[in-house]
Amino acid sequence: MSVPYSTEEIIGYKADNERRVREAALRGDVFVDGMPLKVTMELTADCNLFCRMCEFPAPREEGRSKGYELDMRSELYEVLAPQVLPHALMVNLTVVGEPLMVPYLDRVLEGAKDWCTRIEFITNGMMLDRAMIERVGPQAAAMIISFDGGTRRTFNRIRIGADFDIITRNMLLFQRWREALPAGSFRPAMHMNVTLMRENVEELATIVRVAKLLGVDRVNAAWMIAFNTKIANSSCFRHKAVANASMRHAHRVADEIGMDLVTPTEIPGATEAEIAAVVVQEPVLPDGPLPHLNVMLAGGDAPDLVAAPAAAEESFHELGANIPDAAQSGVLAEVNGQTLQNERAYGSPLQQDAGERRMQAQVACSPAPVLGVGVPAEPPSAGGRYTCKFLWNELFVSLTGDVAPCCIQGRPVVGNIHKESLSLIWNGPMMKEMRQRLLDGDPVPCCKDCNYNTQLGQGTYREDTFFIQLDRKF
């Protein structure tokens, strides 16, 4: 796309847009006088891994078998990009896929550069070799690596198709690239995202040690959500004392070595005596957590490695992953005599037809119990009010152009860019209603049940938002 403005004009406009958006959030305005600061453009749902805790691999394979498109069509991206890049400070390229697999990635990078927009890459890291770093690094806001084990055996058994050794080498390559940037230039962040489950929670401290060695800026951890009975026992909510003790141990290690660790609040229900009785089984690694990188860590060359990912049968689960049970195909909600199915609401967006998306939007604005909440960008108060990072700041656009306020499970669809502009959707009836109801203490169901806030300590954990059950009602 052609850019008729200078870099200085673009930067000035974006600074003013950010000011107006943040002021609207602080005031609690229902109409936001500005465009979203961050937009997730779901450019791909494709991925090269089959991870234990992910609910999308099986629907993805089913989509492939039926000939579904796994990428946003390039012509739709060309409609979306001019509505996003001139305004947003940052974009994310996918939620359920691997961003480095976007087929027109170079076009995205070029557009982001032209409009001074940074890209947040949430990646599994397998493709992040030297060539890819040189390709995407200059436009990156952050490189966020999904990292779910402190040892190669655990990591590879959770993230089928990935290899701990390859990914950690690639991360160290990215760190070297960052360190070589000219003084005064923008330096992208490097984070790790960890999904905590029984199989890896005792290795959280080891992950912290790995992060420190690799130069990672921050480790972010979150609880796994279980979508079927088979994986439910892996949830840390079934192992509360061990989970809480492991987090405490990891924080002690992080404090000792100077690593920024962000974890969810502890799971209630375990007594202090039960937590104190836990002996955290952090792996014993006499050669250190990264023996394959010892030469590189000492300043030597990066090693040539051959990937040796675990086979599916070596993993912690049977082939099938974290998708809703076949038996859990009953009614999730009913609207005007029609039903919304569990696996549709919580499965891949590839599984939803237009009618189901409309129904999901209607469900989102059904009556909900009163829950005290507050305005965005305001810290929690003594009254139990909490914020929403999305409604006043971000949008999500799916492969098919459906727009939602966020990527949380059960999110409503608030519009489609085939039918109206992103600016009209951003301040459209559903977005304004969701903001108003949040302010009024009568949030729509997906906000009421949002475990993004509860993991931050804003609100109270509800286990049915971490174990998605057949009989769950919205």
Side-chain angles (χ1 to χ4, degrees):
M1 71 187 76
S2 123
V3 179
Y5 306 103
S6 68
T7 298
E8 291 74 20
E9 288 174 319
I10 293 171
I11 292 173
Y13 165 75
K14 290 197 172 189
D16 183 62
N17 182 67
E18 179 183 11
R19 175 188 59 78
R20 288 183 282 117
V21 170
R22 296 200 185 281
E23 288 178 355
L26 287 169
R27 288 191 303 264
D29 295 347
V30 173
F31 179 93
V32 179
D33 182 23
M35 290 295 284
L37 305 181
K38 178 181 176 181
V39 177
T40 294
M41 304 186 293
E42 190 176 49
L43 303 187
T44 186
D46 206 355
C47 187
N48 51 340
L49 302 187
F50 195 113
C51 298
R52 168 169 170 69
M53 64 290 177
C54 182
E55 67 269 32
F56 292 99
R60 185 181 291 121
E61 291 306 312
E62 182 183 359
R64 285 194 181 100
S65 71
K66 293 180 178 179
Y68 293 168
E69 294 180 347
L70 296 178
D71 306 305
M72 181 182 286
R73 291 187 174 183
S74 59
E75 55 266 33
L76 180 57
Y77 170 73
E78 295 299 339
V79 171
L80 178 61
Q83 301 182 63
V84 172
L85 299 181
H87 312 286
L89 299 176
M90 182 166 64
V91 295
N92 184 347
L93 306 188
T94 183
V95 171
V96 303
E98 169 52 53
L100 302 183
M101 294 177 66
V102 172
Y104 40 85
L105 181 58
D106 287 328
R107 201 182 332 160
V108 177
L109 293 166
E110 181 181 359
K113 180 181 179 181
D114 288 343
W115 287 106
C116 305
T117 306
R118 292 281 171 180
I119 301 175
E120 178 184 75
F121 292 94
I122 303 178
T123 173
N124 60 53
M126 281 296 288
M127 300 172 64
L128 194 65
D129 57 15
R130 282 191 179 93
M132 184 63 77
I133 291 169
E134 293 292 340
R135 184 180 173 194
V136 304
Q139 212 51 44
M143 197 64 63
I144 303 174
I145 312 297
S146 299
F147 205 91
D148 297 308
T151 63
R152 190 184 195 190
R153 175 172 170 76
T154 299
F155 185 101
N156 289 16
R157 292 174 75 194
I158 291 174
R159 305 187 66 79
I160 300 301
D163 189 282
F164 176 92
D165 288 0
I166 299 290
I167 291 167
T168 49
R169 181 202 60 189
N170 291 350
M171 293 175 70
L172 195 51
L173 285 172
F174 185 73
Q175 171 64 357
R176 284 189 172 182
W177 177 85
R178 292 198 304 168
E179 290 177 334
L181 291 172
S185 59
F186 178 82
R187 188 173 186 262
M190 181 165 61
H191 297 169
M192 282 179 174
N193 278 359
V194 184
T195 301
L196 295 173
M197 61 194 83
R198 179 64 186 91
E199 289 82 359
N200 69 6
V201 71
E202 292 185 88
E203 294 187 9
L204 181 57
T206 309
I207 293 173
V208 168
R209 299 182 198 278
V210 168
K212 183 66 175 180
L213 289 172
L214 296 178
V216 169
D217 302 309
R218 187 170 73 215
V219 176
N220 306 295
W223 303 122
M224 182 194 75
I225 298 173
F227 289 88
N228 62 42
T229 53
K230 180 176 59 181
I231 203 171
N233 198 51
S234 292
S235 170
C236 288
F237 281 76
R238 296 279 176 88
H239 310 276
K240 298 173 181 178
V242 172
N244 292 344
S246 297
M247 283 205 309
R248 292 183 186 185
H249 174 60
H251 275 288
R252 286 192 293 270
V253 170
D255 290 343
E256 288 170 5
I257 66 177
M259 186 69 224
D260 188 7
L261 171 62
V262 178
T263 60
T265 56
E266 291 189 3
I267 304 172
T271 67
E272 285 298 321
E274 289 171 331
I275 296 171
V278 173
V279 178
V280 178
Q281 300 295 318
E282 185 180 354
V284 177
L285 303 169
D287 298 321
L290 300 172
H292 60 293
L293 295 182
N294 283 342
V295 171
M296 190 178 178
L297 288 166
D301 293 336
D304 291 325
L305 301 172
V306 177
E313 58 270 19
E314 298 174 52
S315 74
F316 289 117
H317 66 95
E318 301 170 57
L319 199 64
N322 188 13
I323 59 173
D325 288 327
Q328 294 185 350
S329 58
V331 175
L332 175 68
E334 187 169 319
V335 178
N336 297 328
Q338 301 182 74
T339 58
L340 183 65
Q341 300 294 325
N342 192 334
E343 70 272 18
R344 300 296 193 184
Y346 292 100
S348 168
L350 299 172
Q351 294 178 304
Q352 296 180 322
D353 62 31
E356 288 170 327
R357 287 192 292 269
R358 283 194 297 273
M359 288 162 58
Q360 187 167 322
Q362 290 173 302
V363 169
C365 286
S366 62
V370 172
L371 178 69
V373 293
V375 299
E378 179 182 277
S381 72
R385 298 164 64 182
Y386 61 89
T387 65
C388 173
K389 75 183 286 284
F390 299 104
L391 280 174
W392 278 260
N393 299 286
E394 302 187 25
L395 275 181
F396 169 87
V397 185
S398 76
L399 291 175
T400 57
D402 282 338
V403 181
C406 63
C407 58
I408 301 298
Q409 285 80 17
R411 60 187 178 266
V413 174
V414 298
N416 188 289
I417 63 170
H418 285 296
K419 300 177 181 178
E420 54 189 335
S421 71
L422 204 63
S423 60
L424 290 177
I425 297 170
W426 173 237
N427 278 307
M430 286 193 68
M431 288 294 293
K432 288 195 289 187
E433 179 179 355
M434 291 182 74
R435 292 173 187 137
Q436 187 63 61
R437 287 181 61 173
L438 194 71
L439 295 168
D440 292 344
D442 179 28
V444 300
C446 69
C447 298
K448 174 175 66 72
D449 292 336
C450 177
N451 59 43
Y452 175 86
N453 280 311
T454 55
Q455 293 198 56
L456 293 176
Q458 301 172 0
T460 304
Y461 279 134
R462 281 181 46 192
E463 290 199 11
D464 63 343
T465 65
F466 291 93
F467 298 94
I468 304 302
Q469 302 293 339
L470 170 64
D471 60 354
R472 182 182 178 196
K473 304 298 182 183
F474 283 80

